[in-house]
Amino acid sequence: RGIKVICYMSAGTWENWRPDAARFSDSVKGRRNGWPGEKWLDIRQIATLGPIMEARLDLCRSKGFDGVEFDNVDGYSNRTGFPLTYHDQLKYNAYLANEAHERGLSAAVKNDVEQVFDLAPYFDYAINEQCFQYDECDDGRNSLLSNFIRRNKAVFNVEYELSKTRFCPQANTWGFSSMKKTFDLDAWTSPCW
């Protein structure tokens, strides 16, 4: 039917409710990220995290998903409890994209707008929440998310609080697939057409 189904995966945080939560050693768990039961991961420890992330990707593939959305892949720009660098994040994110591709899954980078220029070669599309609200879509030099558009790759954007008149005209001009949703993330959507 032309429908693509995307698997959600938090690749940068430990979540205590996930079935594989016990596989994460304490050494990779950092500070809380603001959500109950969730902590940042030390993404420098790919040898430790790799088998867990690869098992999650195998599960996505076995369930018939077409792609994967990697969330919380911007730890280097947050207070994680680890001295993560820009390079550490690039290495980890490229690793994730490559592992997804090895399984025949498309790969989406989510919200890491500061690194999109470096990550665009690895990822198939970008997903962003609230870049218009937080003025993160375009830095005036690199047209951040437009790096994907210039490579003929999609940018999916969702805004929760702004009225559509405040973001749809610019989103349409840039070629983003944007919409308004509620924080409930239920089925309701109002796309920018």
Side-chain angles (χ1 to χ4, degrees), residues 15-191:
E15 300 159 312
N16 67 3
W17 63 90
R18 299 289 180 197
D20 61 0
R23 292 191 62 193
F24 292 84
S25 65
D26 287 341
S27 69
V28 298
K29 294 183 231 175
R31 288 187 175 149
R32 294 176 190 262
N33 76 339
W35 296 96
E38 195 167 349
K39 294 182 179 181
W40 288 105
L41 291 172
D42 185 353
I43 50 103
R44 299 170 301 171
Q45 296 188 49
I46 294 178
T48 301
L49 295 176
I52 300 168
M53 298 302 151
E54 291 167 25
R56 287 179 172 188
L57 289 168
D58 290 340
L59 184 61
C60 290
R61 183 186 58 197
S62 73
K63 290 188 175 207
F65 286 98
D66 299 293
V68 61
E69 167 192 347
F70 294 107
D71 199 5
N72 297 307
V73 289
D74 56 355
Y76 79 100
S77 65
N78 288 277
R79 297 183 64 211
T80 63
F82 304 109
L84 304 180
T85 67
Y86 188 95
H87 177 73
D88 294 331
Q89 195 71 60
L90 284 179
K91 181 179 176 183
Y92 184 66
N93 291 357
Y95 156 79
L96 292 169
N98 290 336
E99 289 297 322
H101 291 147
E102 281 187 25
R103 290 160 176 78
L105 299 167
S106 64
V109 63
K110 183 175 182 185
N111 291 341
D112 188 7
V113 292
E114 294 87 0
Q115 294 189 323
V116 292
F117 185 79
D118 293 320
L119 292 174
Y122 297 96
F123 286 87
D124 303 298
Y125 44 100
I127 297 174
N128 176 272
E129 294 173 298
Q130 298 175 282
C131 75
F132 286 97
Q133 179 171 340
Y134 296 115
D135 198 26
E136 298 172 337
C137 301
D138 181 356
D139 69 357
R141 298 184 317 272
N142 295 322
S143 301
L144 295 173
L145 290 167
S146 294
N147 283 301
F148 276 78
I149 300 296
R150 282 193 294 279
R151 292 173 178 267
N152 293 317
K153 297 179 179 186
V155 173
F156 300 100
N157 162 253
V158 63
E159 298 290 332
Y160 303 107
E161 297 178 338
L162 295 179
S163 69
K164 287 176 54 178
T165 58
R166 300 228 358 241
F167 69 93
C168 285
Q170 187 63 64
N172 291 338
T173 297
W174 284 339
F176 293 5
S177 293
S178 293
M179 69 175 70
K180 183 174 176 86
K181 286 190 69 64
T182 66
F183 280 117
D184 294 333
L185 298 178
D186 55 16
W188 182 85
T189 182
S190 182

